[in-house]
Amino acid sequence: MNAINYSEYEPEHSGNFLTEASLKSTGFDIRLEHARWENAGSALIQTHHHSCLIRLMLPSDAGERTQPAGNLGRLCGPASQGFRPLGPLLFIPNGSEFHLKHRACQQKALICVFDPAALATLACYRWNWDGCVDASMLNLQSLYLRAALQRLAEEVAAPGFASELHTESLLTCIALDLRRQFLGIRPCEDGNGKLTPRQMSVLRELLDAGPETALSLQYLANACALPVRKLSSYFKNTTGKTLRRYAAESRVEKAMALLADPQLLVKQVAYQAGFQNPAAFTAAFRKAVGMTPEEFRRQRSG
């Protein structure tokens, strides 16, 4: 796979790899792969650019499913810990280095290298794993992920109708589950009564990406791992504005940028900026800017 480097430290211990089946498209490269090591050894696996790697052990011809005993690994980095036994399901975020120590063994696995941001519905999210790499990634305990990857393995082995679309849908679900597990906000103590930079980033991302009707106060509070009663006060302590005012200003700012495109109708701008209807958009825009969207556009174009 071009998205990863696999470097053996001892060339005489290099493994033999056989690809049984594969699916490849923009944003992902997935393979059913047999690996065989005649001797114990070690290797360094590096992911490139924006690509992540997730691997699920599969039953071998002998019916064995579990990770061969004795295989160890660790994710390298500032928070790196010692070598740990590898589980059947592991995840390596993009830009990471994974150090493998293996015994003489053979195994079959689904190897999936993908870029979450290249999946159309996920392009608006930020996929920065810095500071989130965790040793638990080497032995993921998620029945949901296992089931999704097992279904992905079946699709790779026997592609069906609209296989690429089905594969991208499965990868989207997998990426979202990984995001919730490792990039989601963890509950925190009250501190100084303000939102953390990470919580503010999540709120901005949600407010910029979705229309007003999709974002309830409860939804935003859950995304920040805060009780509803605290979200508004924490937000005002952090920004000096109410959450409602901030959201309204963000939508108007987005609309002002969209109005610069003469090809977009005003009603298209309204919906893309997150307003429920053109009338609500015009009223909010006039209140914030002092003129209607049409007047603003004419002034800018003049």
Side-chain angles (χ1 to χ4, degrees):
M1 298 181 184
N2 295 330
I4 62 173
N5 276 344
Y6 184 91
S7 306
E8 292 282 350
Y9 292 151
E10 300 97 3
E12 66 273 16
H13 296 159
S14 296
N16 296 316
F17 300 92
L18 173 66
T19 299
E20 177 181 317
S22 65
L23 279 177
K24 186 175 183 178
S25 185
T26 303
F28 65 83
D29 185 354
I30 309 170
R31 302 186 184 188
L32 291 178
E33 189 173 80
H34 296 264
R36 181 185 181 91
W37 289 283
E38 299 291 347
N39 302 286
S42 63
L44 186 68
I45 298 175
Q46 299 170 297
T47 56
H48 288 176
H49 307 302
H50 305 292
S51 295
C52 302
L53 183 150
I54 190 165
R55 184 216 65 185
L56 174 68
M57 298 296 300
L58 298 170
S60 65
D61 295 338
E64 181 184 8
R65 176 184 293 272
T66 58
Q67 169 73 32
N71 284 7
L72 305 173
R74 68 182 177 93
L75 288 165
C76 307
S80 177
Q81 300 180 16
F83 283 89
R84 296 190 174 200
L86 300 180
L89 179 59
L90 67 81
F91 171 62
I92 305 174
N94 66 284
S96 301
E97 293 184 347
F98 170 64
H99 190 179
L100 169 68
K101 287 186 177 181
H102 59 81
R103 64 177 179 85
C105 63
Q106 57 183 345
Q107 60 190 44
K108 178 182 177 181
L110 174 74
I111 310 292
C112 178
V113 177
F114 69 104
D115 176 6
L119 303 173
T121 54
L122 303 182
C124 62
Y125 294 101
R126 301 177 183 90
W127 296 88
N128 183 3
W129 302 92
D130 291 345
C132 300
V133 176
D134 190 278
S136 65
M137 292 176 174
L138 302 182
N139 185 15
L140 294 176
Q141 301 295 315
S142 171
L143 295 177
Y144 175 83
L145 281 175
R146 289 197 190 197
L149 286 162
Q150 181 63 52
R151 182 65 190 89
L152 194 57
E154 294 168 0
E155 188 65 29
V156 173
F161 172 73
S163 184
E164 185 174 327
L165 178 60
H166 191 188
T167 298
E168 184 169 327
S169 298
L170 288 168
L171 286 174
T172 298
C173 294
I174 290 167
L176 285 174
D177 200 68
L178 290 167
R179 182 182 180 86
R180 288 178 177 179
Q181 185 169 347
F182 294 107
L183 297 184
I185 299 296
R186 293 182 173 87
C188 59
E189 297 182 359
D190 287 353
N192 59 2
K194 294 184 178 182
L195 296 173
T196 66
R198 193 172 177 190
Q199 287 171 320
M200 278 299 303
S201 177
V202 167
L203 283 176
R204 289 193 186 101
E205 190 172 271
L206 290 172
L207 292 170
D208 290 346
E212 181 181 10
T213 53
L215 300 174
S216 67
L217 188 60
Q218 181 66 62
Y219 184 91
L220 296 173
N222 290 344
C224 293
L226 285 172
V228 172
R229 68 182 186 276
K230 290 186 176 181
L231 176 61
S232 296
S233 62
Y234 279 26
F235 189 88
K236 189 169 184 179
N237 291 342
T238 305
T239 65
K241 303 176 182 179
T242 65
L243 189 57
R244 183 182 296 275
R245 178 184 170 190
Y246 180 89
E249 290 179 354
S250 295
R251 287 192 293 273
V252 170
E253 288 174 3
K254 185 174 183 179
M256 292 171 70
L258 291 169
L259 285 168
D261 183 354
Q263 301 301 317
L264 289 177
L265 299 176
V266 170
K267 66 178 181 180
Q268 292 175 306
V269 171
Y271 291 122
Q272 289 187 31
F275 290 89
Q276 298 182 38
N277 55 65
F281 168 51
T282 298
F285 196 92
R286 187 199 298 270
K287 181 178 180 180
V289 184
M291 63 183 75
T292 66
E294 292 86 351
E295 292 169 341
F296 177 82
R297 172 175 273 176
R298 286 196 297 270
Q299 187 181 84
R300 287 283 297 270
S301 61

